[in-house]
Amino acid sequence: MTISIGDTIPQATLQKVTLDGPEPVETATWFAGRKVALFSVPGAFTPTCSARHLPSFVEQADALRAKGVDEIAATAVNDAFVLGAWARDGEADGITMLADGNADFVKALGLTMDGSGFGMGTRGQRFSMIVDNGVVTQLNVEEPGEYRVSSAEHLLTQL
């Protein structure tokens, strides 16, 4: 079952990238009590993800916060070390990186994709969402190969 607007974020453990190394976070606790703009990419350092998706959230971070977003987070089926390097490379200091190395979170969301044709295995679909106090209030899932509705610019129009 795919998550929908009005649903509560499912329980999963993600690895938050910190200066001291990966820190496990439980979704129920991490999303509680605040408004989060979350976006998912199929993989750090992949072409569209690095050239367009991450930069859109870096460039629109202040505008998202001005519209009431408390935190901006990215997730991918990569390990925390890869996401940390991607954040440094993309100058994404204001974006929290949440590694979903085993795809547990995207599986629980029902938003996986099969990237085996590209040697990537199970990955998360490209999407964005607003999560307010643990509840999904906006959800934008891209069609395969697309990059439109999951951008920061599109998410801004929904706030």
Side-chain angles (χ1 to χ4, degrees), residues 3 7-16 23-36 38 71 73-75 96-101 103-109 127 129 131-136:
I3 193 140
D7 290 347
T8 299
I9 286 290
Q11 175 54 41
T13 303
L14 298 167
Q15 297 295 318
K16 179 180 172 186
E23 172 187 307
V25 295
E26 301 300 322
T27 54
T29 306
W30 196 83
F31 285 99
R34 59 190 165 157
K35 186 182 284 190
V36 178
L38 174 70
E71 184 138 11
T75 189
T96 300
M97 296 290 169
L98 299 172
D100 186 19
D104 295 334
F105 183 55
V106 290
K107 286 176 186 173
L109 292 171
F127 65 84
M129 63 172 65
V131 182
D132 194 350
N133 194 27
V135 176
V136 177

Side-chain angles (χ1 to χ4, degrees), residues 9 19 24 36-37 51 61 81 91 108 111 121 130 134 141 146 157:
I9 286 290
L19 294 176
V36 178
F81 302 104
E91 299 178 2
L111 292 172
I130 297 292
V141 181
E146 291 287 321
T157 68

Side-chain angles (χ1 to χ4, degrees), residues 5-129:
I5 291 174
D7 290 347
T8 299
I9 286 290
Q11 175 54 41
T13 303
L14 298 167
Q15 297 295 318
K16 179 180 172 186
V17 174
T18 74
L19 294 176
D20 297 323
E23 172 187 307
V25 295
E26 301 300 322
T27 54
T29 306
W30 196 83
F31 285 99
R34 59 190 165 157
K35 186 182 284 190
V36 178
L38 174 70
F39 68 102
S40 170
V41 297
F45 292 108
T46 57
T48 301
C49 304
S50 292
R52 298 178 68 199
H53 211 168
L54 178 61
S56 81
F57 281 88
V58 170
E59 292 163 8
Q60 299 300 326
D62 290 340
L64 286 162
R65 288 187 178 94
K67 293 261 190 165
V69 169
D70 299 306
E71 184 138 11
I72 302 164
T75 189
V77 180
N78 289 113
D79 64 62
F81 302 104
V82 169
L83 286 184
W86 189 49
R88 285 189 300 278
D89 187 69
E91 299 178 2
D93 295 337
I95 311 291
T96 300
M97 296 290 169
L98 299 172
D100 186 19
N102 295 323
D104 295 334
F105 183 55
V106 290
K107 286 176 186 173
L109 292 171
L111 292 172
T112 60
M113 63 168 260
D114 181 3
S116 8
F118 303 100
M120 296 170 66
T122 300
R123 294 293 176 128
Q125 291 182 47
R126 185 181 307 282
F127 65 84
S128 68
M129 63 172 65

